[in-house]
Amino acid sequence: LLVLATGTGKTRTSIAISKVLLECNWAKRILFLADRTSLVKQAKRNFVKHLPEHTSVNLLEEKDNPDARFAFSTYQTMMNLIDGSRDKEKRFYGVGHFDLIIIDEAHRSIYKKYQAIFEYFDALFLGLTATPIDRIDKNTYHIFGLPDKSPTDAFTFQEAIDHNPRFLNPYKSIEVPTKFTKEGIKYEDLSEEEKEQFEDEILDGDKATGNEWIPPAELNKWLFNKPTTLKTLKFILEQGIKKRGGEELGKTIVFAKNRKHAQFLKDMFLELDKELFGNDYVKVITHGEERAQEFIDRFCDE
């Protein structure tokens, strides 16, 4: 299990390890697993770039090539292939087909449902993550046979900055000065009109005790506050990175709570300026969007 901070080259490290194992004849076939289609495509692209002499196959798009050195797949697709093998409908991959299995973002999808992948294949496992989990029901370390907080190796974000100051910069946090997102909502601090709205919308018409308080962390779970959102987006437009002579917002990623929240944020952008933030400017990209990969590629394109 390798814990490497975001931006320090998890995929590049796995490519180097694969190269060494192939050259030493410790591995003949290698499987790379990720939980999103975009990560699978990105990984294959990088492997082909650095190891062009080896054949590879993306199991999400291509028919399997049993002689391919590298196979790339999502967890779900691989689970379906394993189930097919167990049902003997079609022999796809035997338990010893792969010598090395690389688990990308090893903190996310490897528990319970996809644990069967670890149980089915007899192979070396290489886990890559920036944020391992050590909860009882979800423990990244235990899956790789390690004690808590003891990865095989680790490379922290600060170490990465110290080693590569020319290539990796620390992020900078800028707090948006909105009261609700900072302090939450206290009933006693609201105006009479807001108190009435609080009782109608949040307490479902019940009378307030006067001690109600919604902490900041709880707000985004259910509250889509239009004034706060508009204020935040205006702040981004004013303070964000600019392009084209400083008049237009540059490439920006806004992380939403869920799909509904993401659409709400896009609607708020359109409310600010429908002509500017039309169909080609602000995109909602979720796993349910058929053209998600196309939008991501366009965003990344120089």
Short mmCIF file of all heavy atoms in Angstrom, two decimals, residues 11 27 33 41 46 61 64 67 70 82 118 128 168 186 210 212 219 226 228-229 231 244 254 274 298 301:
data_model
loop_
_atom_site.label_atom_id
_atom_site.label_comp_id
_atom_site.label_asym_id
_atom_site.label_seq_id
_atom_site.Cartn_x
_atom_site.Cartn_y
_atom_site.Cartn_z
N THR A 11 0.08 7.21 -10.45
CA THR A 11 0.05 6.39 -11.67
C THR A 11 1.46 6.19 -12.21
O THR A 11 1.83 5.08 -12.63
CB THR A 11 -0.84 7.05 -12.74
OG1 THR A 11 -2.15 7.27 -12.20
CG2 THR A 11 -0.96 6.17 -13.96
N ALA A 27 6.37 -10.57 -13.29
CA ALA A 27 4.99 -10.37 -13.73
C ALA A 27 4.92 -10.46 -15.24
O ALA A 27 5.79 -9.94 -15.94
CB ALA A 27 4.48 -9.01 -13.26
N LEU A 33 -7.07 -1.36 -11.89
CA LEU A 33 -8.48 -1.16 -11.55
C LEU A 33 -8.71 0.24 -10.99
O LEU A 33 -7.95 0.72 -10.15
CB LEU A 33 -8.94 -2.19 -10.50
CG LEU A 33 -9.00 -3.64 -10.96
CD1 LEU A 33 -9.32 -4.54 -9.76
CD2 LEU A 33 -10.04 -3.84 -12.05
N LYS A 41 -9.40 5.30 -18.43
CA LYS A 41 -8.88 5.81 -19.71
C LYS A 41 -7.58 6.59 -19.50
O LYS A 41 -6.63 6.46 -20.27
CB LYS A 41 -9.92 6.71 -20.37
CG LYS A 41 -11.14 5.96 -20.91
CD LYS A 41 -12.08 6.91 -21.62
CE LYS A 41 -13.25 6.16 -22.25
NZ LYS A 41 -14.17 7.08 -22.96
N ASN A 46 -1.54 6.84 -19.99
CA ASN A 46 -0.21 7.04 -19.40
C ASN A 46 0.67 5.80 -19.51
O ASN A 46 1.88 5.89 -19.73
CB ASN A 46 -0.35 7.46 -17.93
CG ASN A 46 -0.80 8.90 -17.79
OD1 ASN A 46 -0.34 9.77 -18.52
ND2 ASN A 46 -1.70 9.17 -16.85
N GLU A 61 -14.05 -0.89 -23.32
CA GLU A 61 -14.28 -0.51 -24.72
C GLU A 61 -13.91 -1.59 -25.72
O GLU A 61 -14.43 -1.60 -26.84
CB GLU A 61 -13.45 0.74 -25.05
CG GLU A 61 -13.78 1.95 -24.20
CD GLU A 61 -12.86 3.12 -24.50
OE1 GLU A 61 -11.78 2.88 -25.08
OE2 GLU A 61 -13.24 4.25 -24.19
N ASP A 64 -11.54 -8.54 -24.98
CA ASP A 64 -10.33 -8.92 -24.25
C ASP A 64 -9.29 -9.53 -25.18
O ASP A 64 -9.62 -10.31 -26.08
CB ASP A 64 -10.67 -9.92 -23.14
CG ASP A 64 -9.42 -10.39 -22.43
OD1 ASP A 64 -8.59 -9.54 -22.06
OD2 ASP A 64 -9.26 -11.61 -22.26
N ASP A 67 -3.58 -12.11 -24.46
CA ASP A 67 -2.13 -11.99 -24.51
C ASP A 67 -1.64 -10.60 -24.12
O ASP A 67 -0.43 -10.35 -24.10
CB ASP A 67 -1.63 -12.33 -25.92
CG ASP A 67 -1.94 -13.77 -26.30
OD1 ASP A 67 -1.82 -14.64 -25.41
OD2 ASP A 67 -2.31 -14.00 -27.46
N PHE A 70 -1.15 -5.57 -20.29
CA PHE A 70 -1.90 -4.71 -19.37
C PHE A 70 -3.38 -4.75 -19.70
O PHE A 70 -3.77 -4.64 -20.87
CB PHE A 70 -1.41 -3.26 -19.45
CG PHE A 70 0.00 -3.05 -19.01
CD1 PHE A 70 1.02 -2.86 -19.94
CD2 PHE A 70 0.33 -3.06 -17.66
CE1 PHE A 70 2.32 -2.68 -19.53
CE2 PHE A 70 1.64 -2.87 -17.24
CZ PHE A 70 2.64 -2.69 -18.18
N ILE A 82 -15.68 -11.76 -13.22
CA ILE A 82 -15.42 -12.81 -12.22
C ILE A 82 -16.67 -13.66 -12.02
O ILE A 82 -16.61 -14.89 -11.97
CB ILE A 82 -14.99 -12.18 -10.88
CG1 ILE A 82 -13.59 -11.58 -11.02
CG2 ILE A 82 -15.00 -13.23 -9.77
CD1 ILE A 82 -13.15 -10.81 -9.79
N PHE A 118 -10.25 -9.22 -4.37
CA PHE A 118 -9.07 -9.62 -3.60
C PHE A 118 -9.11 -11.12 -3.30
O PHE A 118 -8.08 -11.77 -3.25
CB PHE A 118 -9.02 -8.83 -2.28
CG PHE A 118 -8.63 -7.39 -2.44
CD1 PHE A 118 -9.55 -6.45 -2.86
CD2 PHE A 118 -7.34 -6.98 -2.17
CE1 PHE A 118 -9.19 -5.13 -3.01
CE2 PHE A 118 -6.97 -5.65 -2.31
CZ PHE A 118 -7.90 -4.72 -2.74
N LEU A 128 -2.90 2.22 -4.28
CA LEU A 128 -2.45 3.61 -4.39
C LEU A 128 -3.54 4.52 -3.84
O LEU A 128 -4.70 4.43 -4.25
CB LEU A 128 -2.20 3.97 -5.86
CG LEU A 128 -1.26 3.06 -6.65
CD1 LEU A 128 -1.36 3.37 -8.13
CD2 LEU A 128 0.17 3.24 -6.18
N LEU A 168 5.53 21.59 -7.98
CA LEU A 168 4.35 21.40 -7.14
C LEU A 168 4.27 22.53 -6.12
O LEU A 168 5.19 22.76 -5.36
CB LEU A 168 4.44 20.05 -6.42
CG LEU A 168 3.17 19.56 -5.74
CD1 LEU A 168 2.06 19.33 -6.76
CD2 LEU A 168 3.42 18.28 -4.96
N LYS A 186 -28.61 30.18 13.22
CA LYS A 186 -29.19 30.23 14.57
C LYS A 186 -30.54 30.92 14.49
O LYS A 186 -30.65 32.06 14.02
CB LYS A 186 -28.26 30.99 15.52
CG LYS A 186 -26.97 30.26 15.82
CD LYS A 186 -26.13 31.02 16.84
CE LYS A 186 -24.85 30.27 17.16
NZ LYS A 186 -24.01 31.00 18.14
N GLY A 210 -36.70 28.35 19.87
CA GLY A 210 -35.80 29.49 19.99
C GLY A 210 -34.35 29.08 20.10
O GLY A 210 -33.44 29.91 19.97
N GLU A 212 -32.99 26.55 18.20
CA GLU A 212 -32.58 25.81 17.01
C GLU A 212 -31.30 26.38 16.40
O GLU A 212 -31.14 27.60 16.31
CB GLU A 212 -33.70 25.84 15.95
CG GLU A 212 -34.87 24.92 16.25
CD GLU A 212 -35.84 25.55 17.24
OE1 GLU A 212 -35.64 26.73 17.61
OE2 GLU A 212 -36.79 24.87 17.64
N LEU A 219 -25.41 22.16 6.55
CA LEU A 219 -26.16 22.99 5.61
C LEU A 219 -26.31 22.37 4.22
O LEU A 219 -27.42 22.27 3.70
CB LEU A 219 -25.50 24.37 5.48
CG LEU A 219 -25.75 25.34 6.64
CD1 LEU A 219 -24.98 26.63 6.42
CD2 LEU A 219 -27.23 25.64 6.78
N LYS A 226 -30.26 30.04 -1.87
CA LYS A 226 -30.02 30.81 -3.09
C LYS A 226 -29.17 32.07 -2.86
O LYS A 226 -28.17 32.27 -3.56
CB LYS A 226 -31.36 31.18 -3.72
CG LYS A 226 -31.26 31.78 -5.10
CD LYS A 226 -32.65 31.90 -5.71
CE LYS A 226 -32.58 32.57 -7.07
NZ LYS A 226 -33.93 32.70 -7.66
N THR A 228 -27.00 32.81 -0.50
CA THR A 228 -25.62 32.44 -0.15
C THR A 228 -24.87 31.91 -1.36
O THR A 228 -23.70 32.24 -1.59
CB THR A 228 -25.62 31.38 0.98
OG1 THR A 228 -26.25 31.92 2.12
CG2 THR A 228 -24.21 30.95 1.33
N THR A 229 -25.54 31.07 -2.15
CA THR A 229 -24.91 30.51 -3.35
C THR A 229 -24.54 31.61 -4.34
O THR A 229 -23.43 31.64 -4.88
CB THR A 229 -25.85 29.49 -4.03
OG1 THR A 229 -26.13 28.44 -3.11
CG2 THR A 229 -25.20 28.90 -5.27
N LYS A 231 -23.98 34.73 -3.73
CA LYS A 231 -22.89 35.53 -3.17
C LYS A 231 -21.55 34.81 -3.35
O LYS A 231 -20.53 35.42 -3.70
CB LYS A 231 -23.15 35.81 -1.69
CG LYS A 231 -22.15 36.76 -1.06
CD LYS A 231 -22.54 37.13 0.35
CE LYS A 231 -21.57 38.15 0.95
NZ LYS A 231 -21.94 38.52 2.33
N ARG A 244 -8.02 35.70 -20.91
CA ARG A 244 -8.40 36.67 -21.93
C ARG A 244 -8.37 38.11 -21.42
O ARG A 244 -9.39 38.80 -21.42
CB ARG A 244 -9.78 36.34 -22.49
CG ARG A 244 -9.80 35.02 -23.25
CD ARG A 244 -11.17 34.65 -23.74
NE ARG A 244 -11.14 33.33 -24.36
CZ ARG A 244 -12.24 32.63 -24.66
NH1 ARG A 244 -13.43 33.13 -24.42
NH2 ARG A 244 -12.14 31.45 -25.22
N VAL A 254 -15.95 23.29 -9.72
CA VAL A 254 -16.78 23.47 -8.53
C VAL A 254 -17.28 22.09 -8.11
O VAL A 254 -17.95 21.40 -8.88
CB VAL A 254 -17.98 24.39 -8.83
CG1 VAL A 254 -18.84 24.56 -7.57
CG2 VAL A 254 -17.51 25.75 -9.33
N LYS A 274 -27.10 34.59 -18.06
CA LYS A 274 -27.53 33.48 -18.92
C LYS A 274 -26.77 33.46 -20.24
O LYS A 274 -26.45 32.41 -20.79
CB LYS A 274 -29.03 33.57 -19.18
CG LYS A 274 -29.61 32.31 -19.81
CD LYS A 274 -31.12 32.31 -19.75
CE LYS A 274 -31.67 30.98 -20.23
NZ LYS A 274 -33.13 30.92 -20.09
N ARG A 298 -12.37 17.98 -23.05
CA ARG A 298 -12.41 19.36 -23.53
C ARG A 298 -11.90 20.31 -22.46
O ARG A 298 -11.20 21.28 -22.76
CB ARG A 298 -13.84 19.71 -23.92
CG ARG A 298 -14.23 19.22 -25.30
CD ARG A 298 -15.71 19.35 -25.56
NE ARG A 298 -16.22 20.70 -25.33
CZ ARG A 298 -17.50 21.01 -25.40
NH1 ARG A 298 -18.39 20.08 -25.69
NH2 ARG A 298 -17.89 22.25 -25.19
N ASP A 301 -8.13 20.03 -22.35
CA ASP A 301 -7.44 20.39 -23.57
C ASP A 301 -6.88 21.82 -23.48
O ASP A 301 -7.58 22.74 -23.12
CB ASP A 301 -8.41 20.30 -24.76
CG ASP A 301 -7.69 20.44 -26.09
OD1 ASP A 301 -6.45 20.59 -26.08
OD2 ASP A 301 -8.37 20.41 -27.13
#
